[in-house]
Amino acid sequence: MRVPYTWLREYCDPGLPVEELADRLVMTGTEVERIDVVGPPKPDNFVIGKVTEAVQHPDADRLRVCTVEVGEDGPRTIVCGAPNVGAGQTVAVALPGARMPGGDKLRKAKLRGVASEGMILAADEIEIGDEHDGIMVLDDALAAGTPLAEVVPLAEPVLEIEVTPNRSDCFGVHGVAREVHAVTGAALGPDPWAEDAPAEAPGNVEDFAKVTVEVPDLCPRFTARVFRDVKIGPSPLWLRERLAAAGQRPISNVVDITNYVMLLTAQPLHAYDLDKVPGGELIVRAAREGEKMTTLDDVERVLDPDTVLVCDRDRPSGIAGLMGGQVSEVSDATTNLLLEAANWNGPNILQTSRRLSLRSEASARFEKQLHPDLTMRAQAVASKLLVELCGATMVPGTIDVAAPAPEPRTLRLRGARVTSILGMEVSQAEQVTYLERLGFGARVDGDDLEVSVPADRYYDVTREIDLIEEVGRLHGFDRHLPTTLPRVGEGKVGRLNRTQRLRRRAEDELRDLGFDQIVGWSFNDPGEAGRLRIEEPDPRADPILVANPLSDEGAAMRTTLLGSLLGVAARNLARGAESVALFEAGAVYLRGAPPESGGPLAGDFPGDTPAPVTEPHRYGALAVGPLAPRSWRGGGEPVDFFALKGVLEALAGSLGCPPLEFEPASEPFLHPGRSAAVSLGGAPLGWLGEIHPLVCRTWDIDAAVGFEIDAAPLLAAATLGEEAFEDVTTFPAALRDLAVVVPADTAAATVRAAVLAGGGELLRSAEVFDLYAGPQLGEGEKSLALALEFRAADRTLTDEEVDAARASIEAELTKIGGTLRA
Amino acid sequence: MLEQIEKIRVEATEGIVKASSSAELEELRVKFLGRKAELTQILRGIAQLPPEERGPVGGAANKGRKELEALIARSAERLDAAELDAKLVADRVDVTMPGAPPRPVGHQHLITRTTRLIEDIMVGLGYEVAEGPEIEHDYYNFTALNHPVGHPARQLQDTFYVQSHPDVLLRTHTSPMQIRAMETQGPPIFIVIPGKVYRRDSDATHSPMFHQMEGLAIAEGLTLADLQGTLLAMSRALFGDTREVRLRPHYFPFTEPSVEVDVSCFQCEGTGVLADGGRCNLCKGQGWIEILGAGMVDPNVLGFVAEKGYDPERVQGFAFGLGIERVAMLRHSVPDLRRFFDNDVRMLEQFA
C-alpha cells in the first residue's frame, strides 16, 4: 500500500518528518518498507506560468516559441514541443535550476537556435500519471509565479507499507491515518464519510435500478446509487497527483473517483454505465458450470458455480469482487451512472481469485473480509466527489440489499491478563487511551474493560488476546518491555536424546573418514529414476510428485540419496575437482504410511496423526577417484568396492554396532558383480557398491562407488555410550593364524562362519587377513588366512584347549569343502 | 708367572682401547681370551703349578680375564654405537620432500554446523530437540496453526502441494511440529525443532528449500518479556555478548501478539556506520538486522491441543522461527542463499 504523505496528513498530521513517522510506525507494527519520493526531488524553480504568446519556431515545424509570464519582472521565452500549447493558457513551468525527477538539473538551452529559459510541463514530467500527449493546462485562477508546490505536491514522500493480512483497514489511507493518530496522539480529523452528497435529481433510485441477490451468504451486502448528468473528463490535478503517487494510473474522473475512494476507505467500488444495463437491473448469482465471460482485461474466463457474478438481465457484467466486464464499462459517452459498493465473502473471493489466477486491487481487499458497514462510507465519499467533480446529480435513495448485519462485538479485557501475557504493566488509563485512539469503545469495569470493536477491525479483533496485542504494541515493546528469562525444566535437563547424539556421531564419523557433507535438494526431476535405471514396479520409480513445482527440476520428491550425490559429484568434477568423496544425511520420501515404530529417523514422528508419507532418514556416500591423495610415496589408488565397504564398516564400528552383513545383491544402478545388500542382525539396511557404468556415463562420471543405508536400524543397533566393561586383560589371549583352502566360489563369510562355529565360546574373533589363489593351489581353489583370537574370561588357556578348538574348526571347515593348509 | 699375566693385561688393555672397529676388537678377543690365548693356557695349566702358586696365579689370571672381558664388552658397545651412527648418517633422506599426506578428513556442511550451534545454545537454556515430517498434512501446517481454510494468511507463504492430495503439502515452516509435540507431551514443554522447509520462491534471498529452527515454550506464566529474554540470550550466544534485540510488532496467524525480532548489528555495533565513516553494508545503515519472527502462542493454537493439558487459561508461552541459513549467512558472510545447496567442494572445504 502506497500512502502519499500529503494525503495522509489531510486526516492526521503528526507534525513529524516522514522518516521519524516511519520509524514510529515500524516500531508499533506497521511495516514501512521504504519511503519513496514521487515527482521532482525538490520543489524549487517550479512555478505557475501564463502563456501570453505562442508562435511558430522559425526553423522547426513542431516547436513553438512561447512567451510566458512567471511572476518576474519580465516574461521568459520558452520553446515548447507540445501540440496543445497556446496563448492564454495557465501552465506549469520548470525554470532553469529545477531538479527534474531522477535528479537532472534543468538548464537554459538553445533549441534550433532559439534560447529557451525553462520548460512547460506535461503530467508525466513531474510524475503525475503517464500522459505525455501535451502540456498540463491548469486553472486560470492561478496567478503567474505561484509556486507549483502550492497547487500540487511536489517531491511527495510516499510511505510504502506492507499491510499484514489481518489489517484490511490499512488498505485505506484513512485507516493508516487512524493508526498514525493512535501511535502519535496527533489529532484525527472528522471522518471523510461524515457528510453525504445532496440528492438533487428527481425521482428515486428504485425508479432506475433494481438489485437481486441470489447468494446472500456470498454477498452479505450490495448497495447501489444512481447519478445523472455525469460529465466524463479528466480529473483535477490534485486527484490525479494523489492517484499517481499512490500507484494508480489516472484515467477519467469517474474511474479515478472509484479508485480514490477505495484507496481512502479500503472499500472497492464499481461504476456502471447505467444506460448499458438493461432495465437497470443487476442480479448477483453463482456462475453456471462452464459459463464464460470476458473481463475488463480482455481475457475470456471460464467459470464454475463457486464463482459469484454480477449480471444484468442478459449476461454477466462482472466477476464479483474481482473485476468488471466490458459490457457496462464507463466510457466518455456515459451520462448516467450506477455506483456499486458491495460486500463479499472473503474466503470465496480468495478462492475465486486463486482459481482464476486473477488478482486486483479490489480482490486484495475483499479477500481479507471487509465489514458490510464500509459500503455506505464509500458511497458517501464517492457521491460527494461525483457531484463536485463530474457535475453529477444524485438520485435520492440507496438500493441496499443486505443480509443481517454482523452482531456488534464487545470483548472483555482483563487488566490482570494484559500483564500476565505481556510481562509489562500497562495502566488502565493507558489501555483506554490506546483503544479509543484506534476507534474502539472502552468502558471501565473494575480492573477490566468492556471493549466494543469498530467495523474496520471487526474481523481482525475477535478475542481478548487481540486487544492485548493492540494495547501492548501501542505501549511500545521497544520502550517498555522488560527482558526476563523463564524458568525452564522443572526437574528435567535440556539435552539431546541418545539418537540425536548418535546422529551427530555418525555424521562426524563420515566426515572424519574423509567425506564432505552435502545438503542435496529434496526434489528432483521425475526422470531421475529412469537415469538410475530404476523401473516399475520398483517403488522408487514412482516418486511422490509435487502438484505445483517451480520447474520440472523440482517436480518429484527423491526416493534415493544417490541422485543428489551423483549430481553434486558431477558438478564438482565438471568444475575441475579431481576426486570427490561426499556424504549426505537426509530424508528420502516414499509413498505409503510410515512405520509405527522406529522414531523420527524411520518416519515415525510424534503426534496423533502419522505423517502422510514415509520419510526415512538415510546416510548416503559417494566417492569418485582416490580416497587417499596421490603422492610421491604412493596412494592415489582409485576407490573401489572394498574402500567404501571399509568406510561403511568403520561407520558402524564407530557406533558400536555389531558387524554388518553383506550379501551379493543387485540394484539396477550398481555394478552387478560388485555390489552388496547390507544388513544388520538380519534386518536390511541398504546397499553398497560400484555404480553401474551406464549410470556413471549418464552423469558424465568415469567411475564411482557408494552406499546408502537407513539411519534408524543402524542407530538402533548402536551400543555406543552403553558399553559394559569386559575383563580382557587378566587372562591373556592365545593368538593363532589359520590358512584354509576352499573352492574359489566359497564366500569368505561362509569360511568365517564355519571357523566361528568350530571355535566355540573360546574363539573371540576370526578375521580374514589374506587371500591367495595361484600355482601353489589346485585349479578352482583359493586360500584364506584368518587371524584367530582365543580367550577365556576365567583362566589362561592351555595349548591342549586351543588345539582342541582348532580341531573342531577343522571339522567345521571340512563340511564346507575346506582344508587347513599346512 | 704373575708378571706375565700383568704384561698380557697391559698389552691387551692397550690394544682393546685402541681398537677402531668391531672386527679388530674380535681379533683381540680371540688373541687374548680365545682358546689358544696365553691367558687361557695359563688358567688351563694351573693344576700343574705347585700348590702354593695355584692360588695367586689363578686369582690374577681370572681377575685379568674378567677385566678384559668387561673392557671388550664396553668397547664393543662403544664401537657398535659409533658404527650405527656412521650407518645412519649415510642413510640420509631429503627432508624437503613433501610429507606423506594423511588420509584426508572431510568437512561438515555449514547448515549442520549452524543447526548444531543453535541446538546447543537452546539445550543450554534447558530445551530439548524434536523433529517432524517434511511432507505434512494441511491440518498441522495450517489449520491447527490458526490458518483456517480460506484465510488470507495461507497466502503469506506460497506452498508446494503433493499431487492428487490437496491436503498434503511440503511444510512451509517447522511450526507443524509445535502441534505434534504438544499432542505427544503435556506442558511444560520447551523444545526446538530444526528441519527443512519449503516455499515456492527462488532468488538470491529465497530458496524453495531451506532450513528453520522452531522454538516452542509453553508453561504457566510465560510472558512476552520471557520471549525477549530468551531471544536476547540466544542472539548473544550467536552473534556476540554485546548484542541487543528489539521486538517489532508484526502479524503471524499462530502467534498473538506477534513480533519480528531484530538484533543489533555486530559489524557496526548497532550504529549503522562503519569505522571508516561509511554506511554499514550488513545492516544497510539501520543498526539492526532482522533475524526471526516470534510471538506468544495464539490461544486458538493451544485450543487444538487443549485436551492434552494446554488450557489457554492455565498455560501460555511463546514460539519463534529462525532461518538457519540466515544465521549462517550472517555469521560467515555468505552472500547468496543458493550457495548452501550448490555443494561446491571449494566452499564446503572452507568449513571444517
Side-chain angles (χ1 to χ4, degrees):
Chain A
M1 173 79 188
R2 291 174 57 92
V3 180
Y5 198 31
T6 49
W7 192 359
L8 178 70
R9 282 186 298 172
E10 184 174 329
Y11 307 104
C12 181
D13 185 352
L16 295 173
V18 67
E19 294 79 9
E20 213 170 296
L21 174 66
D23 285 345
R24 299 287 295 278
L25 287 172
V26 164
M27 291 315 298
T28 50
T30 305
E31 174 91 31
V32 180
E33 289 185 310
R34 64 188 198 113
I35 298 165
D36 190 21
V37 174
V38 172
K42 281 181 172 178
D44 307 339
N45 296 310
F46 289 90
V47 297
I48 298 295
K50 302 272 186 189
V51 182
T52 55
E53 194 180 20
V55 299
Q56 187 63 43
H57 189 292
D59 295 320
D61 288 350
R62 298 200 175 162
L63 296 180
R64 247 135 346 142
V65 180
C66 305
T67 306
V68 185
E69 294 285 354
V70 292
E72 299 166 338
D73 291 344
R76 296 207 177 211
T77 302
I78 297 175
V79 179
C80 181
N84 67 332
V85 70
Q89 288 171 337
T90 300
V91 295
V93 177
L95 298 175
R99 292 254 176 217
M100 303 305 289
D104 287 346
K105 199 174 191 176
L106 189 69
R107 299 174 192 286
K108 285 186 189 176
K110 274 200 173 175
L111 292 171
R112 295 278 177 110
V114 178
S116 180
E117 301 173 298
M119 180 157 82
I120 302 176
L121 297 167
D124 70 330
E125 283 161 343
I126 51 171
E127 297 187 332
I128 300 177
D130 49 13
E131 270 175 65
H132 194 71
D133 295 346
I135 55 160
M136 292 182 289
V137 181
L138 307 178
D139 187 350
D140 288 336
L142 297 167
T146 307
L148 185 59
E150 290 178 14
V151 181
V152 64
L154 296 176
E156 167 92 294
V158 177
L159 295 160
E160 277 194 27
I161 293 174
E162 187 199 333
V163 182
T164 52
N166 57 325
R167 292 301 298 272
S168 62
D169 59 313
C170 286
F171 274 107
V173 171
H174 192 266
V176 178
R178 193 185 303 102
E179 190 68 25
V180 171
H181 165 63
V183 169
T184 65
L188 182 67
D191 293 338
W193 48 84
E195 230 182 290
D196 208 339
E200 290 170 344
N204 184 284
V205 67
E206 316 279 351
D207 306 335
F208 299 91
K210 181 182 176 207
V211 174
T212 310
V213 175
E214 294 181 0
V215 282
D217 49 331
L218 298 179
C219 176
R221 192 169 188 183
F222 193 109
T223 69
R225 285 182 172 184
V226 169
F227 299 84
R228 315 209 50 190
D229 310 321
V230 175
K231 289 167 203 66
I232 303 291
S235 296
L237 197 56
W238 67 265
L239 177 51
R240 283 191 281 159
E241 189 276 334
R242 282 188 178 176
L243 287 179
Q248 283 276 337
R249 196 164 60 91
I251 295 165
S252 70
N253 49 10
V254 168
V255 177
D256 291 351
I257 287 167
T258 59
N259 284 331
Y260 178 81
V261 174
M262 172 182 73
L263 292 172
L264 176 63
T265 65
Q267 168 69 49
L269 297 150
H270 187 65
Y272 300 78
D273 185 330
L274 183 59
D275 298 321
K276 294 183 194 156
V277 180
E281 195 175 342
L282 290 177
I283 302 117
V284 178
R285 64 163 170 86
R288 286 180 278 275
E289 187 67 52
E291 190 169 357
K292 292 175 184 169
M293 78 160 287
T294 302
T295 40
L296 274 174
D297 54 1
D298 212 19
V299 177
E300 186 184 68
R301 297 176 186 276
V302 184
L303 310 172
D304 66 27
D306 288 332
T307 311
V308 180
L309 296 176
V310 182
C311 306
D312 62 29
R313 222 185 257 164
D314 305 326
R315 56 193 159 169
S317 167
I319 300 176
L322 268 78
M323 196 170 273
Q326 293 176 329
V327 285
S328 52
E329 194 181 349
V330 171
S331 71
D332 288 351
T334 300
T335 56
N336 295 313
L337 204 68
L338 184 147
L339 186 66
E340 163 200 316
N343 182 262
W344 307 103
N345 176 292
N348 176 263
I349 297 292
L350 179 65
Q351 277 166 30
T352 305
S353 157
R354 296 189 74 171
R355 202 168 52 244
L356 297 178
S357 296
L358 177 62
R359 277 180 68 80
S360 63
E361 288 282 336
S363 75
R365 290 169 171 79
F366 283 128
E367 71 187 22
K368 313 250 165 10
Q369 188 62 63
L370 304 178
H371 193 280
D373 283 4
L374 270 55
T375 53
M376 288 311 291
R377 297 180 182 178
Q379 287 283 10
V381 182
S383 299
K384 272 190 72 180
L385 289 170
L386 285 168
V387 169
E388 285 168 16
L389 304 181
C390 309
T393 52
M394 186 166 83
V395 173
T398 304
I399 293 176
D400 188 355
V401 183
E407 286 290 319
R409 176 172 292 132
T410 305
L411 300 171
R412 189 167 185 86
L413 177 59
R414 292 168 290 175
R417 191 78 173 158
V418 174
T419 314
S420 94
I421 291 285
L422 297 178
M424 68 177 176
E425 297 279 347
V426 185
S427 74
Q428 191 177 59
E430 287 168 319
Q431 293 176 31
V432 170
T433 302
Y434 299 142
L435 289 170
E436 286 183 344
R437 283 186 191 163
L438 287 168
F440 293 82
R443 187 177 64 79
V444 173
D445 182 8
D447 289 340
D448 304 342
L449 297 177
E450 286 292 327
V451 180
S452 56
V453 181
D456 319 70
R457 306 295 304 278
Y458 188 84
Y459 295 100
D460 162 25
V461 178
T462 59
R463 302 159 305 162
E464 180 185 45
I465 192 74
D466 302 317
L467 294 172
I468 293 173
E469 174 172 52
E470 295 301 300
V471 164
R473 71 181 180 89
L474 287 184
H475 197 55
F477 300 149
D478 56 332
R479 296 176 179 181
H480 299 292
L481 190 66
T483 300
T484 53
L485 263 183
R487 265 185 60 219
V488 180
E490 304 191 13
K492 285 198 289 186
V493 293
R495 67 183 310 216
L496 299 179
N497 65 30
R498 180 160 185 271
T499 306
Q500 289 160 349
R501 292 196 303 276
L502 288 171
R503 271 178 76 170
R504 287 193 175 188
R505 177 58 202 260
E507 290 172 9
D508 289 350
E509 187 66 22
L510 284 166
R511 176 197 62 190
D512 293 348
L513 288 165
F515 288 72
D516 288 336
Q517 188 182 22
I518 66 160
V519 176
W521 292 100
S522 302
F523 27 55
N524 48 44
D525 74 291
E528 188 178 275
R531 290 198 301 282
L532 289 170
R533 309 174 79 239
I534 302 172
E535 290 172 9
E536 306 258 14
D538 189 322
R540 293 172 298 187
D542 181 26
I544 294 160
L545 299 176
V546 177
N548 55 339
L550 279 172
S551 72
D552 202 40
E553 285 176 11
M557 301 305 290
R558 66 181 176 185
T559 56
T560 162
L561 300 179
L562 181 58
S564 298
L565 289 161
L566 283 167
V568 171
R571 202 158 56 238
N572 277 292
L573 294 166
R575 289 171 183 171
E578 287 181 2
S579 65
V580 291
L582 308 170
F583 86 94
E584 175 160 15
V588 301
Y589 312 88
L590 305 172
R591 291 180 187 275
E596 287 172 15
S597 64
L601 292 176
D604 159 35
F605 295 103
D608 288 351
T609 310
V613 303
T614 305
E615 289 177 23
H617 189 83
R618 290 193 174 159
Y619 300 120
L622 187 80
V624 178
L627 281 184
R630 184 167 51 96
S631 88
W632 59 280
R633 287 161 53 86
E637 298 82 10
V639 63
D640 66 359
F641 176 88
F642 293 103
L644 263 272
K645 184 178 178 184
V647 168
L648 184 50
E649 288 177 321
L651 169 65
S654 75
L655 299 168
C657 295
L660 301 178
E661 298 131 26
F662 298 86
E663 279 178 32
S666 173
E667 289 278 10
F669 44 80
L670 295 180
H671 183 310
R674 292 165 178 251
S675 54
V678 187
S679 53
L680 180 53
L685 211 58
W687 56 263
L688 159 73
E690 299 185 8
I691 307 301
H692 198 291
L694 291 178
V695 172
C696 284
R697 191 187 298 169
T698 304
W699 267 271
D700 205 14
I701 294 173
D702 287 340
V705 194
F707 64 76
E708 180 173 6
I709 56 167
D710 279 315
L714 181 75
L715 301 193
T719 60
L720 182 68
E722 297 185 339
E723 305 89 341
F725 172 78
E726 184 189 359
D727 184 356
V728 296
T729 51
T730 303
F731 301 103
L735 305 178
R736 298 283 189 281
D737 285 352
L738 199 68
V740 187
V741 178
V742 289
D745 60 357
T746 304
T750 309
V751 174
R752 186 168 171 271
V755 168
L756 285 170
E761 280 187 2
L762 297 181
L763 181 58
R764 304 307 294 258
S765 82
E767 298 306 329
V768 175
F769 69 89
D770 200 12
L771 166 68
Y772 175 77
Q776 294 177 32
L777 295 175
E779 187 79 3
E781 286 184 333
K782 69 179 174 186
S783 167
L784 293 173
L786 291 91
L788 309 183
E789 183 189 340
F790 295 93
R791 189 159 39 75
D794 55 353
R795 64 188 188 281
T796 302
L797 292 175
T798 62
D799 283 348
E800 289 74 29
E801 283 178 296
V802 175
D803 288 345
R806 191 183 148 99
S808 160
I809 290 170
E810 189 165 10
E812 284 296 324
L813 286 170
T814 309
K815 291 184 195 167
I816 60 162
T819 52
L820 288 190
R821 209 168 153 205
Chain B
M1 189 69 83
L2 288 174
E3 281 156 28
Q4 195 184 347
I5 291 171
E6 178 59 16
K7 195 176 143 246
I8 293 167
R9 196 189 62 83
V10 170
E11 188 191 341
T13 302
E14 213 166 279
I16 290 166
V17 170
K18 284 186 186 156
S20 63
S21 74
S22 29
E24 198 181 325
L25 192 65
E26 177 61 15
E27 269 173 36
L28 290 168
R29 189 188 66 77
V30 171
K31 180 175 173 194
F32 291 105
L33 297 175
R35 273 188 301 137
K36 292 178 185 165
E38 219 174 332
L39 202 57
T40 313
Q41 297 301 331
I42 291 171
L43 276 166
R44 251 184 225 155
I46 280 181
Q48 276 81 48
L49 288 177
E52 67 275 11
E53 285 185 26
R54 285 181 199 164
V57 172
N62 259 327
K63 184 168 171 261
R65 183 182 177 85
K66 278 193 177 131
E67 262 181 45
L68 290 180
E69 275 173 352
L71 187 61
I72 285 173
R74 282 203 302 277
S75 296
E77 229 170 81
R78 170 177 60 81
L79 287 174
D80 280 354
E83 280 166 19
L84 182 62
D85 271 345
K87 217 159 105 191
L88 292 183
V89 165
D91 181 21
R92 186 178 281 282
V93 298
D94 177 359
V95 297
T96 66
M97 282 297 281
R103 176 118 164 205
V105 168
H107 300 82
Q108 189 178 62
H109 198 283
L110 200 44
I111 288 175
T112 302
R113 174 197 284 195
T114 310
T115 304
R116 289 189 187 183
L117 175 69
I118 304 167
E119 283 175 353
D120 290 347
I121 291 167
M122 297 311 293
V123 162
L125 288 173
Y127 286 60
E128 292 176 292
V129 179
E131 288 140 292
E134 296 168 28
I135 299 183
E136 253 303 2
H137 298 283
D138 178 289
Y139 172 81
Y140 285 114
N141 195 77
F142 286 131
T143 307
L145 291 171
N146 203 30
H147 298 62
V149 174
H151 195 284
R154 285 186 172 224
Q155 286 189 313
L156 287 177
Q157 301 148 5
D158 217 340
T159 308
F160 289 114
Y161 287 89
V162 167
Q163 200 170 79
S164 317
H165 294 85
D167 290 337
V168 177
L169 46 78
L170 308 196
R171 66 177 174 188
T172 58
H173 42 198
T174 38
S175 314
M177 189 56 197
Q178 286 187 21
I179 305 294
R180 288 185 172 275
M182 289 191 284
E183 283 177 346
T184 309
Q185 179 194 333
I189 188 169
F190 291 86
I191 54 168
V192 288
I193 305 142
K196 278 182 180 164
V197 300
Y198 304 88
R199 292 184 196 173
R200 220 173 159 281
D201 221 343
S202 184
D203 58 39
T205 55
H206 296 91
S207 167
M209 176 182 87
F210 61 104
H211 295 74
Q212 272 191 341
M213 182 74 73
E214 189 87 5
L216 175 70
I218 307 284
E220 286 179 24
L222 297 187
T223 67
L224 190 69
D226 290 332
L227 170 64
Q228 177 158 271
T230 301
L231 296 179
L232 179 66
M234 184 179 77
S235 299
R236 288 186 172 176
L238 281 174
F239 299 114
D241 288 341
T242 58
R243 298 283 67 78
E244 296 295 336
V245 295
R246 68 174 191 185
L247 271 47
R248 274 184 291 109
H250 195 68
Y251 170 75
F252 301 108
F254 47 110
T255 49
E256 185 91 351
S258 300
V259 290
E260 282 189 328
V261 181
D262 300 332
V263 61
S264 58
C265 181
F266 46 89
Q267 180 169 289
C268 63
E269 290 295 323
T271 60
V273 182
L274 296 176
D276 65 5
R279 190 182 81 141
C280 177
N281 58 322
L282 193 58
C283 63
K284 302 191 173 63
Q286 300 292 303
W288 295 95
I289 300 168
E290 184 184 326
I291 55 162
L292 58 84
M296 297 300 289
V297 174
D298 195 291
N300 284 2
V301 173
L302 297 180
F304 280 96
V305 286
E307 77 280 8
K308 310 280 183 176
Y310 292 92
D311 172 3
E313 283 292 310
R314 198 177 67 75
V315 293
Q316 60 196 43
F318 53 80
F320 60 85
L322 178 65
I324 290 172
E325 285 85 354
R326 172 106 179 111
V327 174
M329 288 169 90
L330 288 169
R331 283 178 52 89
H332 301 285
S333 310
V334 181
D336 186 331
L337 187 55
R338 290 170 291 202
R339 297 260 182 145
F340 291 108
F341 309 112
D342 187 39
N343 295 301
D344 190 310
V345 292
R346 291 167 298 183
M347 171 171 172
L348 299 178
E349 289 173 1
Q350 291 173 27
F351 304 97

